Structures are given as structure tokens and as C-alpha cells.
Amino acid sequence: MSEVTMRVNGKSVSGQVENRTLLSTFLRDSLGLTGTHIGCDTSQCGACVIHVDGAAVKACTMLAVEAEGADVATIEGQANADGSLNVIQQAFQDHHGLQCGFCTPGMVMSAAALLKDNPRPSEAVIRKYLEGNLCRCTGYHNIVKAILAASGQSVDAIAAE
Amino acid sequence: MPKDSGIGVSQKRREDVRFLTGAGNYTDDINVRGQTHVHFLRSEVAHGRIDGIDTSAAAAMAGVVRVFTGADFEGVGGLPCGWQVTDRDNNPMQEPPHPILAQAKVRHVGDPIAAVVAETYEQARDAAEAIKVDITELPAIVNMQSALAEGSDKVHDDLTSNLCFDWCLGETDDAKVQAAFDEAAHVTTLELVNQRLVANPMEPRVAVGDYNRASDEHTLYTTSQNPHVIRLLMCAFVLGLPEHKVRVVAPDVGGGFGTKIFHYAEEAFCTFAAKECNRPVKWTASRTESFLSDAQGRDHVTKIELALDSSNNFTAIRTNTLANLGAYLSTFSSSVPTWLHGTLMAGNYKTPVIQVNVKAVFTNTVPVDAYRGAGRPEATFQLERAIDTAARELGLDPITLRRQNFITEFPYATPVALEYDTGNYHGTMDRLEAVADIGGFAARRAASEASGKLRGLGINCYIEACGIAPSNIVGMLGARAGLYDAATVRVNATGSISVLVGAHSHGQGHETVFPQVVADMIGIDESQVEIVHGDSAKIPFGMGTYGSRSLAVCGSAMVRATEKIINKAKKIAAHLLEASEADIELKDGVFSVAGTDKSVAWGDVTLTAYVPHNFPLEDLEPGLEETSFYDPANFTFPAGAYACEVEVDPETGQVSIERFCAADDFGNIVNPMIVDGQVHGGIGQGIGQALLENCAYDQDGQLVSGSFMDYAMPRADDVPFYAVDHSSQTPCTHNPLGVKGCGEAGAIGSPPAVVNAVIDGLHSANHGVKHIDMPVTPARVWEAMQG
Ligand code: FES
Ligand code: FES
């Protein structure tokens, strides 16, 4: 067991972990931040995407001890200070970019990382970027649409209805 | 002014806020004080005899609470099958036992042999590695043909063979069927495989069993589409527990697609072990375990023959299918290749003679059961591939050939046991031709060819039987369950409403859609209506969500219960207004006396119901709460026409989906945005089946595609934006909302459209290929192009 300390969603936290404890497990089981989901055991699904020091990371690929001293952001810390949905979250709701909601935290965190580096990505860039995020419900249509909308691009011309 | 609330409005989903902020409550998010963790030791061989299990070392390891093996379950029932199919001679299917933990034999890779309950998950897993299992490996039975061969080894030693049943539907007189083929001007024959798929909802299955010794009450939290079904099956058939002492909770569930309908060994185990250990027991599947233990889908091998007369009318269809059941009968497995498949072989067409033959086979593979569409995609794929092939062989336009054979008069009794209540197949095809701009295809093909690509257009029609199901009919067909649903409308004193429903939402948006209906009927704000679902302690005994049934069946129960509420509220209003009940009108949440300005608001009536000081107590009970159980009179029949355009790279065989259009008839629609989303998701899965996904076993019964590294799930980059239209509407004639169901359509309608498009593209460059099995991978396309 070792002691680890990090900032999570702006607050300093610490806990006892085994050396083999994954960061995703630490967030979920030790901190109760269950918005970070576990959808696979091969680092393929992206349900666990969080930000570590500003970069999108699959929390299941990192050990808790590796995050010592890091600045970690999870889905729980994404809403605006008044509790309202941030621009990306709001776009997901407006454009029905989620159904069961299980992939959603990872999708929102990935989208945030993408838009930080590329504020107006094309459809093709978005689809490519989401390579590591699986969704079984939406067929991706409304997820891509939501990310386009969140980046301020018009989605009126997109097929449907 | 367009409506801004109620039925027909694309209301944003209220459940989204919790999912978007990480505040969802999925089963794995639930931890019970004092809980232990279980890890299952699963078979690594597909078929073997268990000669001995030594758990002593494991039991002595740190943190281990108890180790269970099959011996602990000898007095306990096995997992039941909920549908008894009878064969062509009216004999019941062969029904082998399905123990919670393997007894004497293991029958597929992943079959649970032992279970370690320990303080932590890691301790349970470490201890499981210390269990010594002595197994004599037996030859694996994987291929269906060889499983049926004379003298084959048997998956279940006590059965007469690996054949579960040999079933026939439609015209059972072989001579009559043969005569129709003998008279035909043209016969198209196709042999095809509907490959095995893994449903793979993104949330793996989880079960948490909790037991309270003081009250003798069990609680099971589980990732289920139907908590009451699980409670009934587990209590009545497996553990022999009184239902009133068992609560089953299915909280937020991260997708189901069929595979979370069934009652699984892990649910029964956690419930059983929680009492045995007097500690809560939690199991969370790894994705690897999902691949090895979630019931899988499809896996049919079919020969279909389609007969046409000299005017190109369809005159007969005959199919012969082998359906893989896997090692055990999963909850509804026997109904899928039979009543959910054979009955759909008429499609959208008036074919007078149809014969469907299905042999269902046990193999040493993971059990197979319903996956989105369940039987209906298999039927549609065969039929629509055959029609497209016939059109090509006869030099006919595929749309014209389909239109010529469409059923146009309703109700229509098919030769395969269904009665379609309503439909308009020309209507959806008209919409498709417009939305898909079929007229512009030639120009798009020319553009693709100019850039060195082949372009194909694939057309497909489908029909499905949804709104599952009329209990008396399915009972006659062998179902061991009723398939009604239930809703309780509980009006609170201040006028807000809780609706307790048997349907379960695991992505479908019931929490948003159902209130739209109730609020619309009463004329109050939707925010005043809330849905409660997923907890057997709260809701009436409903049957859950699958078969595109939620709104058609449970929604109908909700409408009936709301009607009862309105009727009673009118009586109270009449009393308050000193008027005759017949003169009371309800509009926008206000009761008024016709032709007067006397009125009383909804909230005053509801308050009166609970504070009955001025109340007709001699005629009416106080309170305002009503329950309805609704059993549908028939199935519903959503139908539609799909078009897919692909580009094929002639150098590599790579297929890319360039356009995908869907025109569906879902009858009336409550929330168009959500309906679009359901269709998108279905198309995504259908494209996955057509191009990418394949659940493959090697000859030893090892699952070759057992992770997301080997099993190709569709990703954002594999699919385009879809154009979805549902403006052609023929409301269902027998349910109060006129709704049909939309959850499975996309997955049913899309695979044949994709494959038809690929074949069309190859023919445009004179590759005379008749058929390519799914998934249509670059390797298969390239091989086909080499002739
Ligand atoms: S849980 Fe699947 S990538 Fe992390
Ligand atoms: S919304 Fe269900 S997996 Fe994406």
C-alpha cells in the first residue's frame, strides 16, 4: 500500500492504494467518482476517459500511483459553477447525443480535449478523433452532431428529419 | 402555433442531466455496506468432463469467505427456458438442465465451474487461480452440420442427439410446396450465413446480492431489462424463494439490446451466496467475461428458395435453416429462430406459399438468444437478399420488383401465422425514393468511378412484429410467460403524478417520453409527471422492455390507467361543480361544465381526492390512483424501406458507406428526436453486422474474437450521417396511441441494404458475384472480385 495525493476536479485528495490499483479504480472506489465508467479490460472502449494534466487519458491505462501530484479532471467536475451543463454537455442534450449514458462521460471528456486543441474540427476529424470511444447506442450520428454544434458550427444541413 | 409540449414534440431528455454530469446510478456504482466480491472460475475448454475440483488451497487464502462449486447447487434448480417449442410432429423440444455452476461437465469456454467469494475482488481472483480443476477434455462440437451427423459426440449426454427441435411453419405439405416450385418460371436459390454476433452493450453485466437475516428479505441489484421477469424466474424456477421476500432492482442500465433480458447464473449465484455467507455479494463482469457469458445473437445458416411466375410475382418461398443455440437454452433462445423468425418470412410481400424449416442445434459455444431484432433480422436478410438476387437474375429493377409484390390490402393474413393490421409499403418506398434521391444515383456513381471507386446502391424493405405480445397467442405457441405490461398512475394531493411502469428504460428515454403522453392527456405541464421504473418493490408486475414494446404495450397500460384517473377526477369535479358528470369537460388541466363558465382546476380536484371533506364518499372512494394491465390484441407491424450507397475500392476490397437513408412507418410518434436516435443506433449496429462484426470460434471451441481487439465494433469513423424519415405513418389499429415501436427497425433493415449495395457495386464492374457473407470484409470482397 502506498499513499497517493493528487488534485481531482480542483480539490486535493489522497488515499491508500496498492501499487497495482488502476487510476479508474481509485476514482470510482476510493473517491466515489463513479461517473468514470469501465467498459472493457483492453483499453479499447473509452468509457473511462478523463483528463490528466489537461490531456485526455484512459483512466484504466494508468496506475493510481502514476497520478501522484497530477491535476485530474473527471466528468463530475465539468458542469458550470452554477451546476448548469457546460457547452459540450448542453450540446449533447440538445442533439440527443446519448441514450443509455454509459459511454457519455468518456465521450464528453474526449470531446473537450479535442475542442481544446482544435476549436472547429470537421466531421471527418471528429470521427477520427473518437476512434478510441465506443458507443453502442447512438450509431454516433448525434454524438458527432453534438460536437460540431458545441464548436459553434451549423448542424442544420445534417441529414435527418 | 406548433405544440411545444406533449405528444409529437421532440422534448429534450430529462435523464440526460444525470448522465452528462456523472450522476447516473448504474449497478456497478452500487456498493452495499459489508459487501464481498465474487470471482467466477470459468472453463478454459469448450467441452470436458470434470473429474475433480480441489478448493482447499483457495479456501485457505487471505480474505476468502467461501468457495462454491456445482456441488453446492445440487438441490437448486437450473436456469429455465421461457419458451417451449414443439417440433414438426408436435413433440416438445429437448430441454437439458442448465446448472448455476457446472456439474459433471463443462460445455463452453466460459462455463462457470467455481466461485470464490472474498473480501476484495483481487483476493477473489487470486484465490480462484489456486483452485485445482481436474478436467478430461472431450472433442468440441462447434460446427452445426457435424453436430447433427450420425454418431456425433453430444453436448448433453442425456439427450438423444444435439438436435433441440426440428420445426416447420407455414405450408407443411412438402408436395404442395414442391409443386409451387415446379410450376415456377424462375427460381432463385441462395445459401447464406447470418453470422454470430455479440451484443456488447457498453455496460458489462453486474449483480449485487444482499440478504437481510432479520426480515428474511433478499435484494438483487442487476443490469436487467426486466426486473420482474428476473424475480419470477429466479424465485419460481431456480432458488425456490417466495417472491414477496425478493426485491429486484435494475437501476440505470447501460444498454441492453436483448442480452440483458435473460436470467443469468451470476444473478442467481449472488442472491444465493448472499444468504449462505450472510454478506452482500457483488459481481462485475470484465469485458472478457461478457464475451464468454452474455448470450450471443444470430448464428443461422440458411438456404432460401424464391419462386416467381412468368409475370415476376412471388409464388413460393422455402427456407431451410440451421440455428445455433450454443451449449444451453438461454431464457428465450428457442423462440428466436422459430416464432420470431419464421413468422416474418412473408416480409412485405404477398407470397401465397411459404414453408420455413428450422433445425436448432446444441454446440459447445456460448448460448445464443435474442439480440436487437431477434429472428427478424435473420428473416429479412434472407428474403431481401433473395429478392435482390432474383431481380439481378431476371434483369429487373429491384424497386419495381418489390413494389409489384407488395401487400396493399389490410388486414392481411400471411401464410406464416401473422395478421398485419395496417401498413403502406408504397408509402415508405415513395419516401425512400425522395429522401435517398434515387434519381441522382447515376451521377453519384459516375463521380465515384471518376475517382477510381465502384459505387453500389442497395435497397431493402423490412417488416417486423413488435409490441410483443398478445399473451393468449404466445401461450398457444409455447411461451411460458404472459407478455402484457402494467402501469400505475399515482396522483399526488397537489396534482403532480408518479407513473410506475413495468417497462424499463436503458437508453430509450422513457423518463421523458412517457410523461409527454400523460401530461398531454390531462393538459398539465410535463414537469408535473415523473416515471418510476426498474424496482420490483415500487412498480406493478410488468414484463420489461424488449421487442420494441415499451410504448405499444406499457404505454397503452399507462394510457388506460390515465383514462381511469380522468374518469374519476371528472366525477369529483362534477360533485364540486354541482353538475352532471356527463357535462364535465377536461381541457388544459381545467374541468369545466359545458356551456357555462363554471370550472375547477386539476389541482383542486386532486386535493379534494385526498382531503375529502366535500366529496361524494357514498359513491366514490377517496384518493386518486389507478392501475392498468394491458395485454395487446395483436403484434404491431412497423415496416419500412432502406437505401444504402457504398463505395468499393477495387484495389483493396475496402467498402465505405457513403449514404444511408431510412424511411420507416412507426405509426404515431410521441417524440421524433428519440425515434430518430433509435433508428440511428439500429443502423449503426446493422452496419456493424454487415461490415465488421463476427463472433468466431475455432474448431476447438475457443472464442477467437473475445475482446474489443479482435471483435470489430463499429466506430464513429466507420459510419456516415444517416437520413431518417418517418413521415409515412399508418397508425397501429389496436392500441390507444396508434404506436408501433421503433427500437429494432434499424438493426433489421440495414444489413441487407449494405450487402445488396456491395453486390450492386461489384456488378457495375462486371464482377458476377452472387453473394458475400457478412461481415463483408475487404478480404472477402477482394476474393469475390478475383472470381
Ligand atoms: S475501460 Fe475501456 S478503455 Fe478504459
Ligand atoms: S449512449 Fe449507450 S453506449 Fe453510448
Side-chain angles (χ1 to χ4, degrees):
Chain A
M1 287 293 220
S2 30
E3 164 102 7
V4 7
T5 302
M6 62 189 85
R7 283 180 79 75
V8 177
N9 299 328
K11 282 199 203 85
S12 178
V13 298
S14 39
Q16 294 288 323
V17 295
E18 286 186 60
N19 286 341
R20 63 177 170 177
T21 302
L22 297 173
L23 179 54
S24 50
T25 310
F26 178 68
L27 292 171
R28 289 182 57 80
D29 293 354
S30 302
L31 303 184
L33 295 173
T34 55
T36 298
H37 293 157
I38 306 304
C40 74
D41 46 11
T42 52
S43 306
Q44 299 276 309
C45 76
C48 64
V49 171
I50 58 170
H51 298 169
V52 177
D53 293 330
V57 166
K58 288 179 172 171
C60 72
T61 61
M62 202 168 162
L63 297 171
V65 290
E66 291 178 290
E68 171 66 34
D71 199 358
V72 172
T74 72
I75 189 70
E76 285 89 349
Q78 294 297 299
N80 297 324
D82 66 355
S84 61
L85 300 179
N86 74 15
V87 172
I88 296 171
Q89 291 168 319
Q90 189 59 56
F92 269 70
Q93 186 187 31
D94 290 348
H95 297 284
H96 190 26
L98 62 153
Q99 291 182 23
C100 78
F102 197 80
C103 72
T104 307
M107 288 288 179
V108 170
M109 298 308 285
S110 282
L114 167 65
L115 296 187
K116 195 167 95 177
D117 292 343
N118 184 349
R120 285 177 74 81
S122 66
E123 178 201 341
V125 166
I126 295 171
R127 288 188 186 276
K128 209 72 256 128
Y129 188 85
L130 293 181
E131 196 180 35
N133 289 83
L134 294 176
C135 173
R136 196 54 152 168
C137 296
T138 63
Y140 302 101
H141 182 109
N142 285 334
I143 291 175
V144 178
K145 195 171 167 183
I147 297 173
L148 284 168
S151 66
Q153 304 182 71
S154 167
V155 293
D156 296 345
I158 292 171
E161 276 273 288
Chain B
M1 217 178 78
K3 277 175 86 167
D4 59 5
S5 68
I7 294 172
V9 173
S10 286
Q11 212 61 273
K12 288 177 202 167
R13 300 200 326 168
R14 52 175 80 174
E15 45 271 79
D16 288 358
V17 176
R18 70 174 185 273
F19 296 144
L20 283 162
T21 55
N25 185 33
Y26 299 87
T27 311
D28 193 38
D29 303 341
I30 293 171
N31 295 299
V32 185
R33 183 186 288 273
Q35 90 189 356
T36 61
H37 298 261
V38 59
H39 181 76
F40 291 93
L41 178 70
R42 296 176 184 276
S43 177
E44 291 173 2
V45 302
H47 195 191
R49 197 178 57 239
I50 302 174
D51 298 320
I53 306 178
D54 181 357
T55 60
S56 52
M61 281 175 67
V64 172
V65 174
R66 192 168 152 187
V67 183
F68 292 83
T69 66
D72 294 296
F73 286 86
E74 261 159 24
V76 169
L79 298 172
C81 179
W83 200 299
Q84 186 184 65
V85 168
T86 46
D87 72 5
R88 59 178 70 234
D89 301 321
N90 260 325
N91 300 312
M93 65 187 187
Q94 298 207 75
E95 236 176 313
H98 187 178
I100 304 301
L101 295 178
Q103 302 193 347
K105 262 180 106 175
V106 288
R107 296 185 178 84
H108 66 86
V109 174
D111 211 357
I113 299 170
V116 181
V117 176
E119 298 296 338
T120 70
Y121 171 69
E122 286 77 12
Q123 288 169 333
R125 195 181 48 190
D126 291 347
E129 282 174 20
I131 298 175
K132 290 192 198 66
V133 186
D134 200 358
I135 285 192
T136 304
E137 197 169 347
L138 300 168
I141 302 147
V142 180
N143 176 281
M144 288 192 279
Q145 303 279 3
S146 18
L148 294 180
E150 195 71 34
S152 164
D153 289 299
K154 287 187 287 185
V155 177
H156 297 275
D157 302 338
D158 294 341
L159 303 189
T160 57
S161 70
N162 293 315
L163 179 69
C164 180
F165 55 79
D166 177 2
W167 182 83
C168 181
L169 180 69
E171 181 52 70
T172 49
D173 183 341
D174 293 344
K176 271 197 195 148
V177 179
Q178 189 53 45
F181 278 89
D182 291 343
E183 286 162 21
H186 182 85
V187 175
T188 290
T189 304
L190 259 187
E191 294 187 27
L192 30 82
V193 174
N194 204 296
Q195 85 272 32
R196 189 184 283 227
L197 301 176
V198 181
N200 272 327
M202 293 318 300
E203 177 202 32
R205 287 191 298 115
V206 182
V208 186
D210 190 13
Y211 175 69
N212 183 333
R213 213 175 242 185
S215 60
D216 192 28
E217 283 173 345
H218 293 266
T219 303
L220 171 68
Y221 302 92
T222 181
T223 48
S224 174
Q225 301 175 216
N226 30 246
H228 269 109
V229 175
I230 301 305
R231 191 182 73 169
L232 176 62
L233 295 176
M234 185 171 75
C235 289
F237 298 98
V238 186
L239 299 179
L241 297 171
E243 276 178 274
H244 70 292
K245 290 292 192 186
V246 178
R247 173 183 174 203
V248 177
V249 184
D252 288 330
V253 171
F257 314 114
T259 203
K260 290 178 183 166
I261 298 171
F262 321 122
H263 180 35
Y264 285 98
E266 296 87 355
E267 295 170 319
F269 178 87
C270 289
T271 305
F272 179 84
K275 183 173 181 180
E276 291 287 308
C277 303
N278 198 28
R279 295 275 300 275
V281 178
K282 180 172 184 173
W283 171 72
T284 301
S286 66
R287 181 59 59 181
T288 301
E289 281 185 291
S290 308
F291 274 99
L292 294 176
S293 68
D294 290 8
Q296 302 176 342
R298 317 280 192 261
D299 207 346
H300 286 195
V301 176
T302 294
K303 177 179 172 189
I304 177 168
E305 299 158 280
L306 170 65
L308 299 91
D309 68 14
S310 55
S311 312
N312 305 321
N313 297 312
F314 304 160
T315 54
I317 293 165
R318 177 168 54 200
T319 71
N320 278 282
T321 290
L322 292 183
N324 200 335
L325 294 171
Y328 301 100
L329 286 168
S330 172
T331 311
F332 287 111
S333 55
S334 50
S335 67
V336 175
T338 51
W339 298 106
L340 293 173
H341 158 251
T343 52
L344 274 301
M345 280 315 305
N348 311 52
Y349 313 100
K350 39 182 195 262
T351 310
V353 178
I354 301 178
Q355 184 185 63
V356 181
N357 301 287
V358 178
K359 288 189 173 127
V361 187
F362 292 111
T363 59
N364 291 121
T365 59
V366 172
V368 178
D369 206 324
Y371 165 59
R372 201 170 194 168
R376 291 151 286 174
E378 294 90 318
T380 305
F381 186 72
Q382 300 159 42
L383 182 61
E384 294 292 324
R385 283 291 302 121
I387 293 170
D388 232 54
T389 307
R392 193 166 302 286
E393 288 168 349
L394 294 165
L396 301 170
D397 173 64
I399 295 181
T400 311
L401 178 62
R402 286 181 169 86
R403 281 189 183 271
Q404 169 182 342
N405 284 283
F406 275 161
I407 296 160
T408 52
E409 280 165 30
F410 298 90
Y412 177 82
T414 74
V416 276
L418 292 177
E419 182 171 289
Y420 300 166
D421 62 335
T422 181
N424 178 5
Y425 309 144
H426 285 293
T428 44
M429 186 61 91
D430 290 346
R431 290 304 306 144
L432 182 76
E433 291 199 47
V435 175
D437 180 28
I438 303 287
F441 173 69
R444 293 191 293 275
R445 170 175 276 175
S448 295
E449 288 175 350
S451 60
K453 300 281 172 61
L454 310 180
R455 193 174 186 107
L457 168 64
I459 300 291
N460 177 61
C461 294
Y462 76 89
I463 183 158
E464 49 171 337
C466 293
I468 287 172
S471 295
N472 55 353
I473 296 180
V474 295
M476 276 175 348
L477 304 182
R480 290 162 165 161
L483 285 170
Y484 61 86
D485 219 296
T488 296
V489 177
R490 177 177 295 162
V491 183
N492 300 310
T494 52
S496 66
I497 300 175
S498 300
V499 187
L500 296 74
V501 295
H504 186 277
S505 188
H506 31 279
Q508 295 87 343
H510 297 170
E511 292 171 32
T512 301
V513 174
F514 283 23
Q516 288 183 250
V517 174
V518 174
D520 198 314
M521 289 175 72
I522 298 171
I524 55 175
D525 198 88
E526 282 162 29
S527 65
Q528 295 302 299
V529 185
E530 186 166 78
I531 298 302
V532 177
H533 67 102
D535 184 344
S536 70
K538 294 181 180 167
I539 61 173
F541 195 130
M543 299 303 288
T545 288
Y546 39 83
S548 305
R549 72 193 300 271
S550 299
L551 198 55
V553 186
C554 190
S556 298
M558 181 178 72
V559 168
R560 289 280 161 80
T562 306
E563 284 166 357
K564 291 187 200 173
I565 291 285
I566 292 172
N567 285 341
K568 183 170 178 183
K570 279 183 175 173
K571 289 193 172 77
I572 301 170
H575 176 84
L576 293 176
L577 296 168
E578 295 172 341
S580 145
E581 189 193 328
D583 293 335
I584 301 293
E585 291 171 350
L586 170 62
K587 191 166 181 287
D588 298 334
V590 175
F591 297 91
S592 52
V593 183
T596 74
D597 58 0
K598 292 207 297 187
S599 69
V600 57
W602 168 253
D604 293 323
V605 171
T606 62
L607 193 62
T608 304
Y610 288 94
V611 188
H613 298 163
N614 175 17
F615 195 90
L617 284 167
E618 55 290 350
D619 303 323
L620 217 52
E621 293 173 3
L624 203 48
E625 172 168 327
E626 299 287 351
T627 295
S628 275
F629 284 73
Y630 179 86
D631 205 279
N634 190 358
F635 296 87
T636 63
F637 297 97
Y642 284 21
C644 174
E645 286 182 29
V646 298
E647 271 190 355
V648 182
D649 183 334
E651 303 292 325
T652 62
Q654 181 73 42
V655 174
S656 75
I657 312 268
E658 296 299 308
R659 290 164 69 90
F660 201 104
C661 303
D664 299 288
D665 175 358
F666 295 133
N668 294 333
I669 284 174
V670 175
N671 185 317
M673 175 191 83
I674 284 177
V675 168
D676 284 352
Q678 289 293 309
V679 177
H680 296 159
I683 295 172
Q685 290 182 359
I687 291 175
Q689 171 165 27
L691 296 184
L692 300 164
E693 299 177 37
N694 190 21
C695 176
Y697 292 84
D698 69 14
Q699 59 187 19
D700 297 326
Q702 293 293 333
L703 179 58
V704 183
S705 47
S707 81
F708 286 151
M709 296 202 280
D710 318 293
Y711 186 90
M713 294 277 281
R715 292 166 195 269
D717 204 18
D718 296 316
V719 295
F721 282 124
Y722 322 107
V724 175
D725 180 284
H726 31 70
S727 58
S728 177
Q729 299 180 348
T730 56
C732 170
T733 59
H734 56 79
N735 65 42
L737 290 167
V739 296
K740 295 185 176 181
C742 64
E744 295 162 292
I748 297 170
S750 51
V754 176
V755 178
N756 287 347
V758 173
I759 301 293
D760 184 58
L762 295 182
H763 275 267
S764 73
N766 296 316
H767 295 294
V769 46
K770 188 172 180 181
H771 177 69
I772 302 176
D773 274 325
M774 301 183 291
V776 181
T777 58
R780 285 180 175 177
V781 174
W782 192 84
E783 204 173 303
M785 284 192 295
Q786 309 315 303

